[in-house]
Amino acid sequence: IMETMLDQDLNLNEAKNLYNNILSKILECDKAYYEDNNPIMSDAEYDQLTQMALALETKFPELKKTSVLTKVAGQASSKFKK
C-alpha cells in the first residue's frame, strides 16, 4: 500500500503522514531486531521501507528533520556480554 502511495502526487501533509508511518515501522523493526533479537520482517522488506523513506526525503527535504535513518538503530541486547 505504501509503495503505491509513493507513485501518487502527494502534498506535504500526506507525505508527512506516510513518512511518519514508515519511520514508526522502521523503529518497531529496529527494536525487534536489536533489542528483542526477534526480527519481524525480512531484510529485504526493511530495506524497502528505508528506500521509501529516503524517496520521500528526497521529494520533501523538510522531512529529514525527523529522520531516524541517519542514527544508529536500537540498543544492544542485554544478552550480549560486556
Side-chain angles (χ1 to χ4, degrees):
I1 296 172
M2 289 183 196
E3 292 172 6
T4 57
M5 291 185 77
L6 284 178
D7 293 335
Q8 299 175 9
D9 284 332
L10 300 174
N11 65 41
L12 180 57
N13 198 38
E14 292 168 330
K16 280 182 184 179
N17 288 335
L18 178 57
Y19 185 74
N20 287 334
N21 287 337
I22 292 170
L23 292 187
S24 177
K25 189 65 177 174
I26 287 172
L27 289 172
E28 179 185 349
C29 291
D30 287 347
K31 182 184 180 308
Y33 185 89
Y34 292 104
E35 296 176 34
D36 302 337
N37 195 26
N38 187 25
I40 57 175
M41 69 172 50
S42 71
D43 288 349
E45 291 169 315
Y46 182 90
D47 291 346
Q48 188 175 27
L49 278 181
T50 303
Q51 292 304 314
M52 288 190 298
L54 290 171
L56 284 167
E57 287 180 2
T58 299
K59 190 169 182 178
F60 300 93
E62 54 273 27
L63 296 176
K64 288 184 183 181
K65 295 176 188 172
T66 58
S67 181
V68 297
L69 301 176
T70 57
K71 299 177 183 172
V72 176
Q75 297 178 348
S77 170
S78 61
K79 296 177 185 175
F80 288 116
K81 293 181 182 179
K82 292 187 177 191

